[in-house]
Amino acid sequence: MNKKHIPIWGSCIPGNSDKSKLTVMDVHPEYTMEDIFTKYPGVWDKSCEELGDMSGNDTLVYRGEIENGFARETFTDEPFLIPYLAKGSDKCVIICPGGAYLSKSMDNEGEDIAAFLNAAGVSCFVLWYRTYPYHAPLMFLDCQRAIRFVRYHAQEYGIHPQKIGIVGFSAGGNLCGVTALVFRNQRVEYPGYVPDEIDGEDAAVNALGMCYPAVSLEDDKATACIAGAEVYNDKEKRLAFSARYDMRTHVQEGDCPAFLCNTMDDDVLPPLRLAELAMTMHRKGVSCELHMFPEGGHGFGGCVDEQPLEFARDRTAVSQWKGLFANWVNRIFA
């Protein structure tokens, strides 16, 4: 498989600057992993509405994304695609890993997904997009750009320009849904950004997949990662932001087919919001395939990673989602 990282933007990347991320991040090298998750949980603390200290989130992002990942210490990150091409395939899926908009699970929700789709004859591109401390709309502009990039280079990759799908997981599912249903094909308008030829391509996808996605950010502390702590801490601004990005209110007649999947024991994101989205799509006449498995928890992804014993869930049933999704993609793009 080709593991080359392909930058999706040109010399001008909206929202980038030479400013250090450490001017907005409170990083503590002395924190242990126990400190991060128990003393300073920040956005992961579901016991109260108050956001609290995000230094644990900042420290984890610094270690995982900057010290040991592809992000930089300055706001100069370069979003990229990793191609996994299936020989002779004219269809593709852009894969958006999740990670609460703090990180990206590039293996379990990226490479592992590409592996079974390649085996089913579907080419893939795994997207590494900008996350915290970057804020909206930049991650959605990255996703839009990835779609336009693949469509612009479709002939080069042997891809039919009308056989481009997208699938995302958790925050990546939110990224896909908001990009497809809220941002759609709107132009990139960002201070200082100069559009190029790729920006002239259509950003619409032909198939939309979402697994355990954040359908709405209503009262979700992840809002602090996407929009900033000041937005989360101001209830009026928080509600306005969540309303703006709630994909349930943006479905339109004529939207592309959707594949939705989650488990009933998802204790991170409300699974029934996905059912509400499916009902909205049904009312709008949008083709929608919904799979709600009894168990499997949140973050099952490719169902091949080793689970920590204390968080292990039975994946016997939910692992079927892979075959169902592969069959759905091939049926849509037949």
Side-chain angles (χ1 to χ4, degrees):
M1 293 183 180
N2 187 350
K3 298 293 183 68
K4 180 181 179 181
H5 293 184
I6 305 173
I8 58 175
W9 293 99
S11 57
C12 184
I13 304 179
N16 271 7
S17 73
D18 291 329
K19 180 181 178 181
S20 172
K21 294 175 183 174
L22 297 183
T23 62
V24 296
M25 295 175 70
D26 184 13
V27 177
H28 288 260
E30 75 277 11
Y31 282 2
T32 64
M33 290 302 288
E34 184 178 0
D35 290 336
I36 289 172
F37 288 104
T38 60
K39 295 181 180 179
Y40 312 103
V43 301
W44 298 308
D45 182 8
K46 294 183 177 294
S47 66
C48 63
E49 184 178 328
E50 183 181 356
L51 179 60
D53 189 339
M54 288 185 65
S55 61
N57 304 144
D58 290 345
T59 301
L60 195 68
V61 168
Y62 187 82
R63 289 178 187 171
E65 290 286 289
I66 297 175
E67 285 190 324
N68 299 294
F70 303 108
R72 297 173 181 172
E73 198 168 292
T74 54
F75 285 92
T76 55
D77 294 352
E78 296 186 14
F80 60 83
L81 289 167
I82 305 175
Y84 295 83
L85 303 180
K87 187 175 181 179
S89 177
D90 69 343
K91 65 201 93 171
C92 80
V93 171
I94 298 170
I95 301 169
C96 298
Y101 284 110
L102 291 169
S103 61
K104 275 79 65 182
S105 180
M106 298 294 283
D107 295 329
N108 181 48
E109 296 172 347
E111 184 175 9
D112 292 348
I113 310 303
F116 79 78
L117 286 174
N118 280 178
V122 180
S123 286
C124 297
F125 296 86
V126 177
L127 174 64
W128 188 92
Y129 53 97
R130 289 173 292 175
T131 47
Y132 181 84
Y134 284 96
H135 292 150
L138 299 177
M139 55 282 293
F140 304 109
L141 297 186
D142 287 347
C143 192
Q144 262 194 333
R145 178 71 177 196
I147 298 164
R148 288 180 169 131
F149 183 93
V150 171
R151 185 160 279 127
Y152 183 83
H153 293 282
Q155 185 174 2
E156 176 185 340
Y157 294 117
I159 302 297
H160 191 293
Q162 298 306 314
K163 293 185 179 181
I164 298 174
I166 195 166
V167 65
F169 304 82
S170 193
N174 176 267
L175 180 75
C176 290
V178 170
T179 300
L181 302 174
V182 180
F183 279 74
R184 297 182 177 270
N185 191 39
Q186 70 182 46
R187 296 175 56 189
V188 179
E189 294 182 352
Y190 200 89
Y193 179 68
V194 180
D196 60 17
E197 288 185 355
I198 294 177
D199 291 308
E201 291 289 339
D202 192 339
V205 289
N206 308 109
L208 170 63
M210 291 184 282
C211 292
Y212 45 93
V215 173
S216 168
L217 298 169
E218 182 180 350
D219 295 323
D220 193 326
K221 290 184 178 179
T223 300
C225 304
I226 310 171
E230 66 281 2
V231 172
Y232 179 84
N233 289 328
D234 184 319
K235 192 154 190 177
E236 187 175 333
K237 290 182 179 179
R238 185 201 317 171
L239 291 174
F241 184 85
S242 65
R244 166 77 176 91
Y245 288 90
D246 190 332
M247 60 184 78
R248 291 172 297 185
T249 62
H250 290 82
V251 179
Q252 298 178 11
E253 293 181 10
D255 280 342
C256 70
F259 179 100
L260 311 177
C261 176
N262 203 352
T263 62
M264 288 301 293
D265 66 345
D266 184 341
D267 55 3
V268 176
L269 294 168
L272 293 183
R273 286 184 182 172
L274 197 61
E276 292 171 0
L277 178 61
M279 286 300 297
T280 300
M281 289 181 166
H282 177 70
R283 286 194 295 268
K284 294 286 186 177
V286 176
S287 174
C288 175
E289 185 168 317
L290 172 66
H291 296 280
M292 196 68 74
F293 295 94
E295 56 187 334
H298 185 83
F300 50 82
C303 297
V304 296
D305 64 320
E306 187 173 338
Q307 301 182 77
L309 290 177
E310 62 270 32
F311 301 115
R313 304 290 181 91
D314 186 347
R315 292 176 171 175
T316 305
V318 75
S319 62
Q320 298 176 68
W321 87 268
K322 298 191 293 183
L324 292 167
F325 181 68
N327 289 337
W328 177 81
V329 171
N330 279 317
R331 187 169 70 251
I332 296 298
F333 290 154

